[in-house]
Amino acid sequence: MKRTLALLSLTALLSSPALAQSGELRLIAQASEQGNPSMQALVDAFMKKYPNVKVRTEFFPIGTGYPQVLRTQLQGGNAPDLFYVTAGSGGLVSVLPFLDAGYVADLSKRPWAKTVIPTASRGLYWKNNQLAAVPLGMTPIAAVYNVDLLGQLGVSLPKTMPELLKTCGVIRSKGKSMFSLAGANPQNGGLLAATLAENYVLGSDPQWNAKRTAGKVTFAGTPSWKKALQALLDMKNAGCFIPGVEGADLPQAAPAMASGQALAFVIPTGAISALKSINPKLNLGAFVLPGPTAASTVLAVSPTDAIAVSKNSKNLPAALAFADFIATGGGSELYTKVTGDISTRQAATGQNLPPELSGIATALRNKSRIAPLIQIEWSNPQVYTTLGEGVQGLLTGQLTVDALLARLDAAWNRK
C-alpha cells in the first residue's frame, strides 16, 4: 500500500507542469545603464516556479544596440529561445515583421491566446490567425491628477471637453493650471495630441488607421483630425496649460505637477512613480481625458513590452511554459508591478488596480470605448515626431492646424 501511494505521489509530482519542464533557455532583451531589473525579476520568479529550468539572460543597450544584436542573431541562425519585442510593425523590434520572416513561434494554440489581448489591440499581435508574442503588460494613458489639490480648488473632474474648458478657467482664476505639459518636448506634446485624437478620431471611426494605411483617408481630409487639434488650441486659449508651456520641457513640466502648480498631467500611468519620486507625498488619482461628449470618450490602453518565442528554440516546451507564466502564471503582474504599468488581467477586468488608477476602472471595463494609442499603427516613427513638433508650433502660433495636418500626410508618405 505504501509503495502504491509513493508511486502515485511520484507520478503526480512528475506530471506537475512546473517539474515537467527542464533544461536551459536563453533570453535576450534591451536594458538601460541600470540593467533590466523588471525582466530579471520575471526570470527569477519563473526559475523559482520551474526549478528544473535555467534561464540565461543577456541584456544589450536600449536604442539601436539591442535591435542590431537581435537581428544579427535571428538572421545568423543563432536565435535565442526568448526575446524582447514590441507590438505591431512600426518599431525597430516590432514583432509582426519577425513573424513574417518566420523567426517567431505561433502562440495561437496556447490556452490564454484568445483572452489576454484586448480586442482593440488584436491587430498588433495577431496576423493570419497566428499569435506572435505574449504582452508583458498594458499602459493606460490618462490624466493623472493631484487629489488633494482638486479638493482645495473646489472643482469636479470634467466629463466632456466643454466642461474641461470651463474648469480650466476656474482653476486659472485661482492662480493654478489645469494641466502641466512639456510643449517643447515632441514626445510629451505628441502624446497629448494623440490622446485627443483617440476621442475625436478613433471615437467616431475606430478603423481610421486601417483606412489611412489603405490610402482611403488623409489627415488633412479628415474633419475629426481638425477637431482634435482645434481642441488642443481651445485648451490653450482657455488657459488650461502652465505658463510658458510652449517652451517647457519635462524638467519644467513634471515639477509643476509635483509641486501643486498644475492639477493634472496627461501621461502613461507607468510614469506615476516618476512623479512620486519628485514629491513622495503626492496623493494621486487618474481620470480619462474627455472627448466632446461623455459617450464619445475613449481610453487609450496600449500594450507595452512583449516576449516572443523563437520558432527554432531547442527547448520549445520550456519556452512555451515561460510564455504561459507571463500570461496566466503571475508573470505579467510581477513585471508590471516593477514597471508601474498594469497587467493584462488588470487591463481586461479593471479589477485589482493600484489605488491611483481606481478612477479609470469603469473605463477599462467598457470594451467598446478602449483603443490602443493611435500612433502605434502608423507607417513610420516620423509621423508621430512630426505631430509632437507640430504641437509646439500650434502653441506658439507659428503653425496652423491645416499646415500641421499637411505635414503629417507628407511624413506618412515618406519612405
Side-chain angles (χ1 to χ4, degrees), residues 118-351:
T119 302
S121 299
R122 184 180 170 87
L124 301 174
Y125 287 95
W126 286 81
K127 190 172 184 180
N128 299 327
N129 295 319
Q130 295 186 79
L131 177 58
V134 54
L136 286 159
M138 307 290 288
T139 297
I141 310 298
V144 174
Y145 71 98
N146 183 328
V147 175
D148 295 335
L149 182 58
L150 180 76
Q152 295 167 17
L153 292 169
V155 296
S156 300
L157 296 176
K159 296 181 178 178
T160 67
M161 181 55 70
E163 288 181 8
L164 185 149
L165 297 176
K166 289 181 181 177
T167 304
C168 287
V170 174
I171 293 176
R172 177 51 64 92
S173 72
K174 297 183 178 183
K176 304 287 186 179
S177 300
M178 178 79 185
F179 288 108
S180 193
L181 173 68
N185 183 302
Q187 293 299 314
N188 191 233
L191 184 67
L192 177 62
T195 307
L196 289 167
E198 299 282 333
N199 291 323
Y200 286 86
V201 180
L202 296 186
S204 59
D205 184 1
Q207 300 304 313
W208 188 87
N209 271 334
K211 293 177 181 176
R212 185 63 187 85
T213 300
K216 296 179 180 178
V217 297
T218 63
F219 286 93
T222 302
S224 57
W225 261 107
K226 293 185 179 182
K227 292 177 181 177
L229 296 183
Q230 183 59 49
L232 191 148
L233 286 177
D234 292 343
M235 292 171 69
K236 174 205 168 195
N237 295 333
C240 291
F241 302 126
I242 56 174
V245 60
E246 63 278 2
D249 205 336
L250 288 174
Q252 293 78 45
M257 164 72 186
S259 66
Q261 292 304 305
L263 176 66
F265 201 0
V266 177
I267 54 174
T269 58
I272 284 177
S273 59
L275 289 175
K276 286 195 169 182
S277 70
I278 302 173
N279 181 0
K281 296 182 179 178
L282 273 177
N283 179 17
L284 298 175
F287 66 98
V288 184
L289 185 69
T293 66
S296 67
T297 296
V298 172
L299 173 63
V301 182
S302 277
T304 54
D305 309 323
I307 290 291
V309 175
S310 173
K311 190 174 184 178
N312 297 317
S313 170
K314 295 178 180 177
N315 194 352
L316 193 57
L320 293 175
F322 191 89
D324 295 346
F325 176 69
I326 294 171
T328 56
S332 177
E333 285 78 4
L334 177 66
Y335 185 85
T336 53
K337 188 175 182 179
V338 178
T339 62
D341 295 314
I342 61 175
S343 71
T344 52
R345 195 175 305 175
Q346 289 170 320
T349 64
Q351 297 177 349

